[in-house]
Amino acid sequence: MLRLVGIASPEKRVHDYPFQMSGGMRQRVMVAMALSCQPKLLIADEPTTALDVTIQAQILRLILETREKVGSAIMLITHDLGVVAEVCERVVVMYSGKVLEVAYVNDLFNHPAHPYTQGLLQAIPRLDDTRDRLSIIPGSIPNPANLPEGCRFHPRCQYAEERCQTEQPPLVSPKPSQWVSCWRVVGEKGVDSDVIAATAVKAPLNV
Ligand code: SF4
């Protein structure tokens, strides 16, 4: 497995202590350990956090290559949208423990439907950006011990209306393969209450 993840001289390195390896090598060893049982599903929680961009790219490439070799599915948990764009096929956007949007990666980046997803994407700096200041999402995430009623994003949402403060929006599908939890989307698409109930029951990952 050490050879598979690109560790040079694995016969010698297998006897090394962690402090004798670089950060990138330790991450590779961690990936090798995780894949050694050939899991059907690998859950990688922030696998590239605290790595410099060069090592980060190596680890991501390694995970993708190993996925092909071992045949595992990968659930990647990250706050880095650049990593999401590079690696993921399907994306679940979560906020304070709630699923806000589910979409294929191209749909999510090209047509984000939830105000939180839109805010995250607008906050990314771009080379062709002509703005003087980057966009931000005002406010901060709520205290988990004191979550807001209704839509958990409503204290920070520029589109919040009255029922957002009291009723939690269901996860509905405004178009095939995209799921959104937002009253505004429900209103725009004119989804009636029967359709909401039906789609909310069938919705994937409706936690
Ligand atoms: S449900 Fe309301 S508060 Fe929540 S994201 Fe949609 S518009 Fe904003």
Side-chain angles (χ1 to χ4, degrees):
M1 285 307 292
L2 290 181
R3 185 171 287 110
L4 184 72
V5 297
I7 299 280
S9 307
E11 303 82 5
K12 292 182 190 160
R13 282 297 191 174
V14 74
H15 300 295
D16 282 359
Y17 288 99
F19 69 84
Q20 294 173 299
M21 297 185 174
S22 67
M25 289 171 78
R26 290 199 292 265
Q27 292 286 73
R28 285 169 183 269
V29 171
M30 192 185 69
V31 172
M33 288 166 65
L35 292 170
S36 59
C37 297
Q38 304 202 344
K40 289 197 170 113
L41 172 65
L42 172 66
I43 301 175
D45 191 350
E46 301 281 7
T48 57
T49 299
L51 296 178
D52 66 52
V53 286
T54 310
I55 304 297
Q56 185 183 77
Q58 288 175 6
I59 293 294
L60 291 176
R61 200 176 322 119
L62 170 68
I63 289 176
L64 290 179
E65 285 171 5
T66 315
R67 178 185 67 178
E68 299 304 320
K69 288 178 191 161
V70 177
S72 301
I74 297 176
M75 180 192 291
L76 182 68
I77 300 168
T78 181
H79 65 279
D80 188 330
L81 289 172
V83 170
V84 171
E86 197 171 329
V87 173
C88 298
E89 293 170 2
R90 199 159 182 241
V91 187
V92 178
V93 180
M94 297 192 69
Y95 181 83
S96 285
K98 286 286 173 192
V99 172
L100 300 189
E101 184 161 2
V102 183
Y104 285 101
V105 68
N106 284 341
D107 288 339
L108 191 92
F109 278 81
N110 292 325
H111 307 288
H114 195 282
Y116 179 58
T117 316
Q118 292 167 357
L120 290 176
L121 293 175
Q122 283 163 7
I124 298 174
R126 297 176 189 281
L127 284 176
D128 58 353
D129 216 330
T130 54
R131 295 175 293 181
D132 291 333
R133 300 180 74 89
L134 289 176
S135 300
I136 59 163
I137 300 174
S140 46
I141 54 170
N143 181 345
N146 187 24
L147 291 168
E149 293 273 304
C151 171
R152 291 185 182 173
F153 186 59
H154 87 257
R156 308 176 68 187
C157 180
Q158 61 179 314
Y159 306 111
E161 51 192 64
E162 207 170 319
R163 74 170 160 177
C164 302
Q165 299 172 24
T166 53
E167 294 177 54
Q168 189 176 299
L171 198 59
V172 296
S173 181
K175 65 179 193 182
S177 75
Q178 191 161 14
W179 299 82
V180 187
S181 172
C182 175
W183 287 121
R184 185 162 175 258
V185 173
V186 171
E188 273 177 2
K189 301 296 171 189
V191 183
D192 65 33
S193 55
D194 289 345
V195 176
I196 290 173
T199 54
V201 167
K202 286 190 236 156
L205 305 166
N206 191 6
V207 296

